[in-house]
Amino acid sequence: MSNALSMYQASVPVLLRALANLRHVLAKGEAHARDKGYEPTILLQSRLAPDMFPLVRQVQFATDTAKFAVARLAGVESPRFDDVETTFEKLYARLDAVSAYLRTFDEAALEGSQDRSITLTTRTRGELKFDGRGYLLGFVLPNLFFHATTAYAILRHNGVPLGKLDYLGPQA
């Protein structure tokens, strides 16, 4: 038996954990707003700088990154979501739907995906070409953690009492 880390092990469990932890920090943000007596949806349009995306888009980008990643690695079409969430409940539903989708994949579905050719067209950098391993390690995971971290930072900036262990989650 090989001790090599599989593409499945490096993707699905990592993505699921990041989405669960993101859901946790969102729930703390919603509860904080309620405790302080203001409408929680105000947080959804909060941002750290005027030229960056708000909290709601950070969550949408994180979930898109996760679902597209596993679908591309498996060579299947990903479900599409309209970016219409306007409440925490709708964001939780989106996170739950993506997590459920990720759980439909197993080791066999990602077998050999490290060598799969993946091409993306981006808004700012044009066409990007990867093999599966490079895509996962050099694009997907940094992108997912960027959006999860930014969501955390937006909430923290707005006074939500979060710490590093909220971001890292219960397995840390």
Side-chain angles (χ1 to χ4, degrees), residues 131-148:
D131 65 8
R133 181 180 289 111
Y135 170 64
L136 176 63
L137 300 177
F139 185 83
V140 171
L141 295 178
N143 199 26
L144 176 70
F145 291 127
F146 171 84
H147 292 294

Side-chain angles (χ1 to χ4, degrees), residues 6-19:
S6 72
M7 288 294 286
Y8 174 87
Q9 293 167 325
S11 62
V12 174
V14 176
L15 298 169
L16 284 169
R17 179 177 173 187
L19 295 179

Side-chain angles (χ1 to χ4, degrees), residues 88-166:
F88 277 89
E89 292 76 26
K90 290 178 182 176
L91 284 179
Y92 301 145
R94 183 179 177 125
L95 284 157
D96 294 346
V98 171
S99 295
Y101 175 68
L102 296 180
R103 287 186 188 94
T104 67
F105 293 87
D106 59 13
E107 285 274 357
L110 299 184
E111 180 101 16
S113 64
Q114 66 274 6
D115 298 319
R116 182 179 302 282
S117 177
I118 297 172
T119 302
L120 303 177
T121 302
T122 67
R123 288 179 290 125
T124 58
R125 295 176 57 200
E127 197 172 83
L128 304 176
K129 295 182 181 288
F130 302 94
D131 65 8
R133 181 180 289 111
Y135 170 64
L136 176 63
L137 300 177
F139 185 83
V140 171
L141 295 178
N143 199 26
L144 176 70
F145 291 127
F146 171 84
H147 292 294
T149 300
T150 303
Y152 170 96
I154 290 169
L155 291 168
R156 188 69 189 96
H157 178 74
N158 280 279
V160 178
L162 295 167
K164 183 166 63 170
L165 291 180
D166 291 304

Side-chain angles (χ1 to χ4, degrees), residues 5-52:
L5 184 67
S6 72
M7 288 294 286
Y8 174 87
Q9 293 167 325
S11 62
V12 174
V14 176
L15 298 169
L16 284 169
R17 179 177 173 187
L19 295 179
N21 296 347
L22 178 55
R23 194 182 198 291
H24 168 75
V25 299
L26 288 173
K28 282 192 82 168
E30 180 184 24
H32 175 77
R34 291 191 193 291
D35 289 347
K36 294 296 182 187
Y38 65 90
E39 175 53 45
T41 56
I42 292 169
L43 290 172
L44 299 182
Q45 292 307 314
S46 296
R47 56 187 85 212
L48 294 174
D51 65 343
M52 73 183 300

Side-chain angles (χ1 to χ4, degrees), residues 29-86:
E30 180 184 24
H32 175 77
R34 291 191 193 291
D35 289 347
K36 294 296 182 187
Y38 65 90
E39 175 53 45
T41 56
I42 292 169
L43 290 172
L44 299 182
Q45 292 307 314
S46 296
R47 56 187 85 212
L48 294 174
D51 65 343
M52 73 183 300
F53 289 111
L55 177 63
V56 66
R57 289 294 289 145
Q58 301 299 332
V59 177
Q60 291 164 344
F61 285 134
T63 54
D64 283 349
T65 298
K67 70 182 172 68
F68 286 131
V70 178
R72 287 178 180 132
L73 288 170
V76 299
E77 192 66 30
S78 171
R80 302 278 175 174
F81 298 134
D82 294 325
D83 295 329
V84 296
E85 292 81 15
T86 56

